[in-house]
């Protein structure tokens, strides 16, 4: 069960933390299709990350009794709280902001004249979505919280 917990964490929580930061590039480029796609992906990986919690509870329940692990063990409880906050940040702040930015870009049309490299021109003039700060803040905080969870899971203080 420990192996499943770790593998699921790498392949589900990793993208949950990194995809929103990747989305910042699509917001700078004003790419509505990519922003919408990343909103769906972030939402999916955030929800799938609940599998890691299930495997974690399984690993905890199968642990040797000499470790005396339970939900009230301080490092486990703190990890659960930090994970829940990261989950809520992604679902309540990052995903809606990405969706709103995608709608904003789709309704606004191209940011530059046809034939001009839209990504380069938008970055050069600093044209970003109004949602950019929300995605940056939410994804940054979420990633930091998830790093704290990893540290607690490894150190087991």
């Amino acid at each position: 069960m420990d192996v499943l917990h770790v593998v699921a964490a790498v392949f589900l929580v990793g993208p949950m933390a990194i995809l929103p930061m990747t989305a910042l590039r699509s917001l700078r480029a004003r790419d509505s299709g990519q922003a919408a796609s990343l909103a769906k992906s972030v939402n999916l990986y955030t929800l799938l990350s609940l599998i890691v919690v299930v495997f974690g509870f399984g690993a905890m329940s199968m642990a040797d009794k000499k470790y005396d692990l339970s939900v009230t063990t301080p490092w486990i409880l703190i990890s659960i709280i930090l994970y829940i906050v990261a989950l809520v940040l992604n679902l309540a702040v990052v995903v809606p902001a990405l969706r709103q930015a995608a709608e904003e870009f789709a309704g606004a049309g191209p940011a530059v004249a046809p034939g001009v490299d839209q990504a380069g021109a938008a970055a050069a003039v600093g044209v970003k979505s109004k949602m950019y700060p929300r995605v940056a803040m939410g994804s940054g905080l979420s990633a930091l919280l998830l790093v704290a969870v990893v540290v607690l899971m490894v150190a087991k203080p």
Side-chain angles (χ1 to χ4, degrees):
M1 191 61 76
D2 291 343
V3 172
L4 289 175
H5 177 64
V6 171
V7 169
V10 169
F11 289 106
L12 297 176
V13 177
M16 172 188 166
I18 299 303
L19 281 176
M21 292 183 197
T22 305
L24 294 174
R25 184 174 184 183
S26 70
L27 297 185
R28 286 191 300 268
R30 301 186 60 81
D31 187 340
S32 65
Q34 189 176 16
S37 175
L38 284 165
K40 289 177 187 175
S41 297
V42 171
N43 189 49
L44 177 66
Y45 277 107
T46 301
L47 292 173
L48 285 174
S49 72
L50 291 168
I51 293 170
V52 177
V53 176
V54 171
F55 288 151
F57 281 124
M60 181 181 65
S61 68
M62 295 173 68
D64 195 347
K65 297 299 176 200
K66 71 180 179 182
Y67 296 116
D68 192 33
L69 296 178
S70 73
V71 176
T72 59
T73 303
W75 63 270
I76 293 176
L77 181 60
I78 293 168
S79 294
I80 292 169
I81 292 168
L82 294 177
Y83 168 77
I84 290 171
V85 173
L87 182 98
V88 169
L89 271 172
N90 267 4
L91 293 177
V93 176
V94 176
V95 171
L98 284 172
R99 287 179 179 151
Q100 198 169 349
E103 291 172 9
E104 174 188 325
F105 298 151
V112 295
V116 176
D117 177 22
Q118 185 171 341
V125 296
V127 179
K128 296 181 212 163
S129 167
K130 291 179 249 173
M131 295 295 112
Y132 188 91
R134 289 184 71 192
V135 174
M137 181 264 320
S139 64
L141 285 174
S142 178
L144 285 174
L145 291 169
L146 293 171
V147 166
V149 169
V150 170
V151 168
L152 287 169
M153 290 287 149
V154 171
K156 300 175 188 169

